[in-house]
Amino acid sequence: MPSRVLVTGGAGFVGSHVVDQLVDGGHDVVVLDSLAAHGGHPPPWLHPDVDLVADDVRDPGAWRQAARGVDAVCHQAARVGLGVDFGDVTSYVGHNDVGTAAGLRVLHDVGFTGRFVLASSMVVYGEGRYRCDDHGEVRPGPRTAGDLDAGRFEPPCPRCGASLAWAPIDEDAPVDPRNVYAATKLHQEHLCAAFGREHGVPVTALRYHNVYGPRMPRDTPYAGVASIFRSAVERGERPTVLEDGGQTRDFVHVADVARANVAALTVDDPVIGPLNVASGTPRTVLQLAQAVCTGTGLAPQVVGGGRLGDVRHVVASADRAAARLGFCATEPFRPGAAAP
């Protein structure tokens, strides 16, 4: 069981909750975080008992300083969200892929042999799991701009064009990233897995589903949908829901996500490979927006349209994380109560 843990991105949304739980559990924690999202200063929630290395994960020197003497690494640092357009590609690849490669090179150089937990994402699946009445399980192709403009939001069967029913997706499903962010998260998984195989290091990739809760980023197009809705409500504006609001997701509280990370770092038998981290209760994007508006006097505004790269339905099977980590989400669904 690790005693000193490096948490990259440990001042951020998910990372800071992981830090809190690790410190509360008696672990020594070092945080590597550029603090760029916080104006260059530690945010008020950063635990005072951590060793902070305020530097960029793309800098091998920062990793070399932060990784000294650690027994485990929890790699949360990443640029997240769908992005504005393809012009963001170099930033995503730099922060996510190059930053990860820099860290793995340093861990290679220092002979690291502890556990490595990676924050991955459900976006690596692309569309979720679907079944056609006539053709069984199928993989629909990406939706087009014409589909979205015409209000054809549900992906049809690629063989007969019939309507499909979604089902929970498990970790053995084929991966099919459909935007730049998704491609970088999958590449992170591949880089870390290659490192793990070569060095005998157990690498667990936690595929987060849609995370919400305290410390969500505010007023940024790179945030998740829960954060975007909450920012709108805090401005006194109605949340804008794309498509018809029927997109199905699994919204999981950040405290549960942090518990999954701590479990992956401390469980007796380390898990090698991916695990879904989810609540196990699917909801639509419109239901999320309505919950965020609870008690505000506001109501979501459904506007149609959509964003290329978004998928229609992706809902997790959380069975493997329950079996391997003993992890089950316990936090109630209250996105409107997520304090800053």
Side-chain angles (χ1 to χ4, degrees):
M1 186 174 295
S3 59
R4 185 166 175 82
V5 183
L6 167 58
V7 182
T8 70
F13 172 35
V14 175
S16 65
H17 287 272
V18 176
V19 167
D20 288 347
Q21 293 190 19
L22 285 170
V23 173
D24 290 346
H27 301 279
D28 294 328
V29 177
V30 55
V31 167
L32 173 57
D33 196 302
S34 71
L35 305 180
H38 311 288
H41 303 285
W45 55 71
L46 183 61
H47 202 292
D49 293 338
V50 304
D51 295 329
L52 173 63
V53 177
D55 213 332
D56 196 312
V57 293
R58 293 170 291 183
D59 180 1
W63 277 92
R64 197 166 289 111
Q65 179 183 354
R68 190 175 299 121
V70 301
D71 306 296
V73 175
C74 187
H75 185 30
Q76 303 291 319
R79 186 154 202 179
V80 300
L82 185 59
V84 174
D85 57 34
F86 198 82
D88 290 323
V89 61
T90 52
S91 179
Y92 275 98
V93 171
H95 283 88
N96 298 359
D97 297 338
V98 175
T100 299
L104 295 175
R105 171 58 193 270
V106 168
L107 296 177
H108 165 80
D109 290 343
V110 302
F112 175 79
T113 58
R115 297 190 190 188
F116 192 106
V117 175
L118 171 69
S120 187
S121 172
M122 56 87 177
V123 296
V124 301
Y125 295 121
E127 285 286 352
R129 183 181 175 196
Y130 291 87
R131 290 192 62 81
C132 171
D133 286 343
D134 292 331
H135 298 106
E137 193 160 315
V138 295
R139 302 271 306 167
R143 299 178 298 173
T144 67
D147 291 332
L148 298 175
D149 291 343
R152 294 189 296 269
F153 303 129
E154 295 289 344
C157 175
R159 297 180 62 183
C160 67
S163 298
L164 301 174
W166 63 262
I169 195 165
D170 64 24
E171 294 85 350
D172 294 328
V175 290
D176 185 17
R178 296 192 175 184
N179 57 60
V180 167
Y181 170 60
T184 65
K185 296 308 290 184
L186 182 57
H187 194 209
Q188 283 185 300
E189 286 196 20
H190 288 166
L191 289 171
C192 294
F195 172 85
R197 286 191 295 270
E198 183 168 330
H199 296 81
V201 168
V203 174
T204 309
L206 299 180
R207 291 176 176 171
Y208 303 164
H209 285 247
N210 292 72
V211 187
Y212 73 93
R215 307 173 192 168
M216 286 190 299
R218 295 182 172 191
D219 297 315
T220 168
Y222 299 98
V225 65
S227 177
I228 291 171
F229 288 167
R230 183 165 178 81
S231 292
V233 168
E234 289 175 342
R235 295 191 301 268
E237 301 172 2
R238 300 171 63 189
T240 298
V241 179
L242 300 179
E243 302 185 24
D244 59 0
Q247 310 95 302
T248 313
R249 300 288 189 270
D250 187 300
F251 299 100
V252 57
H253 195 278
V254 66
D256 285 323
V257 174
R259 286 196 305 106
N261 276 273
V262 174
L265 290 165
T266 60
V267 70
D268 288 341
D269 295 320
V271 178
I272 297 174
L275 293 173
N276 288 328
V277 177
S279 73
T281 303
R283 293 178 173 88
T284 67
V285 171
L286 180 57
Q287 287 174 323
L288 171 72
Q290 291 167 336
V292 171
C293 288
T294 299
T296 67
L298 298 170
Q301 182 178 14
V302 179
V303 298
R307 300 184 303 176
L308 282 177
D310 270 346
V311 297
R312 182 63 176 176
H313 305 294
V314 55
V315 172
S317 166
D319 293 345
R320 188 173 298 180
R324 300 295 304 278
L325 296 183
F327 167 77
C328 293
T330 60
E331 294 290 329
F333 180 66
R334 296 187 299 160

